[in-house]
Amino acid sequence: MKNIVKDALILFLITALAGVLLAVVNEITKEPIAAQQLAAKEEACRAVFADQEYSFELLAFGEEATAEETAWEETYGKNNKIKEVYSVTDTEGNHSGYVITVTNNEGYGGDITFSMGITNDRVLNGISILETSETVGLGLEAEKVLAPQFAGKQVEMFTYTKTGKLNDSEVDAISSATISTNAYVNGVNAGLAYFDVLVEMGGAENE
């Protein structure tokens, strides 16, 4: 009986010590991890607004969706989620557009997340891929093949083609990866539509 109590006490002490150590490690690493995540987000913003110096401010949104947001949700919300929106300002304090981070769940391997920069006149500067669960190699192909095709385009929406694009609104699909291509195209279209929502709302309130 004494051995059982002794073993239980030792196990309790080990568990308690492990919990304390875990809490200490978490506290030590919390700020560096947060700083690293913030730097990664700013890098993604600068990747899609790179022609000059800009500042980026994260926008906050109300708990209750507006009519415009509800309409977007009904059309795009099943397969897309808006993760974050940054307001973009130039060095003279002029509003220049938005950086919208989108997650689409239609990828071959699961979710894909990317940021897209859109200027005030609805020109898509480009997209920066943040996370992907696609087959090994497809993420690189998306960066090389898909992302450049969106850059500098001013179109209502995109479609993809397997026979060679004929205009700015068409995107050449990655070879043997139409599911992944479709996910990116649908995600970009969802982001463009959300840009229209922001314009209709007159922008969102800053935090």
Side-chain angles (χ1 to χ4, degrees), residues 1-10:
M1 181 67 178
K2 290 182 178 180
N3 288 337
I4 294 176
V5 174
K6 180 181 178 181
D7 291 344
L9 181 59
I10 292 173

Side-chain angles (χ1 to χ4, degrees), residues 65-136:
T66 65
E68 293 87 354
E69 289 173 308
T70 298
W72 182 93
E73 185 70 28
E74 290 174 351
T75 304
Y76 297 96
K78 180 180 178 181
N79 298 313
N80 302 280
K81 182 177 180 180
I82 303 299
K83 303 285 287 185
E84 290 178 330
V85 177
Y86 288 84
S87 177
V88 183
T89 306
D90 66 18
T91 54
E92 296 181 355
N94 300 311
H95 182 260
S96 302
Y98 296 98
V99 176
I100 301 174
T101 301
V102 183
T103 294
N104 177 281
N105 64 14
E106 299 173 286
Y108 185 81
D111 291 352
I112 56 172
T113 300
F114 56 87
S115 291
M116 49 193 293
I118 310 172
T119 67
N120 284 339
D121 50 1
R122 209 176 184 271
V123 173
L124 177 57
N125 279 346
I127 70 171
S128 176
I129 300 170
L130 303 178
E131 297 177 16
T132 178
S133 302
E134 301 301 84
T135 305
V136 175

Side-chain angles (χ1 to χ4, degrees), residues 1 27 47 64 109 116 121 134 151 184 187 190 197-199 205:
M1 181 67 178
E27 190 64 30
E64 293 187 8
M116 49 193 293
D121 50 1
E134 301 301 84
Y184 280 101
V197 168
L198 291 170
V199 172
E205 292 297 322

